[in-house]
Amino acid sequence: MTARIAATSAETEGDRLPPVRFALEPHTWKEIAHLLANLPMALFGFVYVVTVVSVGSGLAITVIGLPVLALGLMGARLLGRFERARARALLGVRVDEPSPLPRGDSRGAHGQKLGFLGRLMLAVKDPVGWRTILYDLIRLPWGVFTFSVVLMSLFVLWPVLPFLARGLTNVDRVMVRGLLSPSDELERRIAELESDRGVVVDTAAADLRRIERDLHDGAQARLVNLAMGLGLAKEKLLEGQADDVVAAMVEEAHGEVKLALQELRDLARGIHPAVLTDRGLDAALSSVASRCTVPVKVTADLPARPAAAIEGIAYFTVSELLQNISKHSGARNASVEVWRTENRLLIQVWDDGRGGARLDGGTGMAGLADRLDAVDGLFVIDSPEGGPTTVTAELPWRERTEA
């Protein structure tokens, strides 16, 4: 965020224009050149836009109507790029380039690959292309006006031409920023979604690696020992060894089975606990609170169960926070509150420990913040040194659909 603010400040400084003087200085000649070039560019853009819109609309009842209109809008994007470059070179206007249209390997909102028709409809509904068309439509009368005024002023009003050129190009700057710049909110949202998609993929991969490691180091190793122990017991029986030796080996194998089952239960609880599926968030949070080394009071005020994905994220968020309380807080008491406010699910975990919890503290807080951010959630820590610590998590409420 700091880098972005600094970059924005730098751009603002770069857009600051030198003061206007009576002498025709280099920046004034650039503005004059831009104003004189408005007419040919406006004529070309107007003819292009009228041709594209009329042909595309006229052929809309046929199969080729929409493809023609889509190609025309893609061409309008190129015109907009040229106009932004012209304004950048002659007027000093720095406008970011909008996001490109989805490529052929892009996917839709539900993960399906976009086909020809999907990409076609995205191109037809492209807001960048339509804003460029609007820009080219209104530029023709303005181009005629600026060309006429500047050409006449070169011979008649040249002493005040710098001031006149500055006033006219300021209107151009407003039009370029208003119609040819990307939507800040839309571009920010696109960047957030792309970042969140990467976070989700990384989190899923990390969870898979954790499950694989837990299976390999825990239950799988115990099952291998169990198989070896039972194999040895079988050999002893075939050799006619004493029953007490075989009984001891079977007893040891039985102990390994119980330990393996316990580790598999713990692993399953870490993936998705059965109590969460069967009884909901209230019972699941009470269960995880009972395993905390600090007394925890759980209060859940939910009129209904949220969607399974939201419920799972809420459970694992509280579970991770309670583990941190057990390991790092030194608290004597803790509480968990869960409630719904309009279309948001709110979670608040409090403890009276030593405080000092931070997102960069190495206690998994950053991972929780990333996981919540990936689903449009919020994660706020209030933990002064000496305590107490209050962590507030907010998730979007989605209605539960039973399979």
Side-chain angles (χ1 to χ4, degrees):
M1 179 63 73
T2 304
R4 183 173 180 83
I5 293 174
T8 305
S9 302
E11 291 178 1
T12 303
E13 292 293 330
D15 288 345
R16 187 172 297 170
L17 299 171
V20 181
R21 297 184 177 89
F22 283 102
L24 297 180
E25 297 183 344
H27 65 269
T28 303
W29 282 113
K30 287 183 179 181
E31 293 177 339
I32 292 172
H34 184 275
L35 293 171
L36 291 176
N38 275 349
L39 180 58
M41 287 302 303
L43 282 172
F44 179 80
F46 185 82
V47 172
Y48 176 83
V49 165
V50 170
T51 303
V52 166
V53 173
S54 60
V55 173
S57 302
L59 296 176
I61 59 176
T62 66
V63 178
I64 63 173
L66 287 180
V68 168
L69 186 58
L71 288 174
L73 288 168
M74 293 171 66
R77 270 179 166 259
L78 295 178
L79 286 179
R81 180 182 299 176
F82 181 82
E83 286 290 343
R84 283 187 292 272
R86 187 167 73 98
R88 191 180 304 117
L90 299 179
L91 301 183
V93 177
R94 289 170 174 81
V95 177
D96 293 334
E97 294 294 328
S99 298
L101 289 171
R103 303 183 302 272
D105 58 348
S106 300
R107 298 183 179 272
H110 301 288
Q112 75 279 14
K113 190 173 182 179
L114 289 175
F116 172 76
L117 186 60
R119 296 196 302 274
L120 179 64
M121 295 308 298
L122 285 176
V124 170
K125 296 185 293 184
D126 179 25
V128 175
W130 284 111
R131 288 204 308 271
T132 306
I133 284 180
L134 177 60
Y135 176 84
D136 288 325
L137 283 176
I138 66 177
R139 290 284 293 178
L140 181 59
W142 177 250
V144 173
F145 175 75
T146 57
F147 181 85
S148 304
V149 170
V150 172
L151 188 62
M152 180 183 65
S153 300
L154 283 171
F155 300 98
V156 180
L157 301 175
W158 60 267
V160 295
L161 182 56
F163 301 93
L164 189 60
R166 177 58 56 86
L168 294 175
T169 52
N170 282 340
V171 177
D172 276 296
R173 292 182 178 94
V174 171
M175 284 193 285
V176 169
R177 290 193 178 101
L179 293 176
L180 297 184
S181 62
S183 170
D184 292 340
E185 181 64 24
L186 179 60
E187 295 298 316
R188 183 189 64 80
R189 185 60 180 154
I190 290 173
E192 283 185 356
L193 291 175
E194 290 177 349
S195 175
D196 291 346
R197 180 177 60 183
V199 170
V200 171
V201 172
D202 293 342
T203 302
D207 288 341
L208 287 176
R209 288 194 298 270
R210 177 183 59 82
I211 294 170
E212 179 183 11
R213 184 175 62 252
D214 291 345
L215 282 173
H216 182 271
D217 296 341
Q220 180 179 344
R222 293 197 179 279
L223 290 175
V224 169
N225 291 334
L226 171 63
M228 294 176 61
L230 291 176
L232 290 174
K234 179 181 178 181
E235 291 180 1
K236 296 295 183 181
L237 283 175
L238 293 176
E239 293 173 0
Q241 296 285 339
D243 292 340
D244 54 348
V245 176
V246 175
M249 299 180 69
V250 171
E251 180 66 24
E252 182 180 354
H254 183 247
E256 290 288 338
V257 169
K258 291 192 291 184
L259 290 175
L261 287 175
Q262 182 60 42
E263 289 184 355
L264 287 174
R265 289 192 191 99
D266 293 339
L267 181 61
R269 185 183 294 113
I271 298 173
H272 197 84
V275 65
L276 180 62
T277 303
D278 298 337
R279 300 174 57 190
L281 196 57
D282 190 359
L285 294 183
S286 297
S287 175
V288 74
S290 66
R291 299 194 297 272
C292 183
T293 58
V294 176
V296 181
K297 178 183 178 181
V298 178
T299 304
D301 183 15
L302 299 176
R305 294 181 64 177
I310 300 300
E311 198 174 57
I313 294 174
Y315 171 82
F316 288 113
T317 299
V318 174
S319 178
E320 179 73 19
L321 291 174
L322 291 182
Q323 287 183 32
N324 286 338
I325 291 174
S326 296
K327 296 177 182 178
H328 309 289
S329 70
R332 292 171 296 178
N333 293 283
S335 66
V336 176
E337 294 184 55
V338 183
W339 71 97
R340 177 184 178 182
T341 300
E342 296 181 353
N343 62 341
R344 308 293 285 182
L345 175 65
L346 283 89
I347 304 167
Q348 193 168 84
V349 179
W350 171 91
D351 70 81
D352 60 357
R354 64 176 63 96
R358 304 186 310 275
L359 285 178
D360 57 350
T363 55
M365 295 292 190
L368 288 177
D370 289 340
R371 179 171 291 191
L372 267 68
D373 185 63
V375 292
D376 286 340
L378 295 174
F379 189 78
V380 180
I381 300 176
D382 180 16
S383 183
E385 291 293 339
T389 297
T390 303
V391 178
T392 304
E394 184 177 328
L395 290 163
W397 180 276
R398 297 175 188 165
E399 297 298 333
R400 190 179 188 86
T401 55
E402 298 294 341

